[in-house]
């Protein structure tokens, strides 16, 4: 997958071209195969104990945040690649643009 970013110190959006992972029957119907990472959910600890945190991209502010319980701090997008993801949530890029207009 091709990874790209849009500039901004804390606001770098992380996007992936998922063309190689999409079946031909689907990619023929939808030509846009770029997806933006919206949230990265992480678990720190053992399988039976630990804590969860979420890296959340707030598109209206074009910033990434680390959310853990009631603590919210700005996060540099480079930190996301250093974490171990439990779940990642994406949005197709053309749908994100449609919702802004």
């Amino acid at each position: 997958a091709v990874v790209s970013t849009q500039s901004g110190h804390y606001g770098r959006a992380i996007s992936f071209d998922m063309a190689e992972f999409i079946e031909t029957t689907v990619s023929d119907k939808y030509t846009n195969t770029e997806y933006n990472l919206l949230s990265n959910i992480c678990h720190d600890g053992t399988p039976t104990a630990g804590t969860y945190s979420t890296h959340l991209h707030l598109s209206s502010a074009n910033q990434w945040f680390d959310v853990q319980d009631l603590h919210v701090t700005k996060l540099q997008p480079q930190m996301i690649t250093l974490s171990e993801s439990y779940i990642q949530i994406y949005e197709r890029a053309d749908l994100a643009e449609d919702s802004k207009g």
Side-chain angles (χ1 to χ4, degrees):
V2 176
V3 178
S4 64
T5 58
Q6 298 169 358
S7 64
H9 184 63
Y10 287 101
R12 189 172 294 162
I14 299 172
S15 61
F16 297 90
D17 185 351
M18 302 292 226
E20 65 186 272
F21 304 107
I22 299 173
E23 291 187 31
T24 307
T25 56
V26 175
S27 64
D28 289 345
K29 186 176 179 182
Y30 301 102
T31 56
N32 189 333
T33 57
E34 185 175 326
Y35 286 77
N36 297 325
L37 181 64
L38 299 179
S39 180
N40 183 49
I41 302 168
C42 303
H43 180 261
D44 186 30
T46 66
T48 57
T51 60
Y52 289 92
S53 64
T54 301
H55 303 140
L56 179 66
H57 185 253
L58 183 61
S59 58
S60 62
N62 199 25
Q63 292 187 330
W64 281 95
F65 293 93
D66 180 53
V67 181
Q68 187 174 19
D69 295 326
L70 297 176
H71 302 282
V72 179
T73 55
K74 285 184 180 180
L75 179 70
Q76 293 184 2
Q78 296 87 341
M79 298 303 291
I80 294 168
T81 60
L82 299 176
S83 62
E84 291 188 31
S85 297
Y86 185 69
I87 298 172
Q88 291 185 323
I89 301 170
Y90 293 88
E91 177 180 43
R92 205 170 71 211
D94 60 336
L95 297 178
E97 292 169 7
D98 289 345
S99 68
K100 291 178 185 176

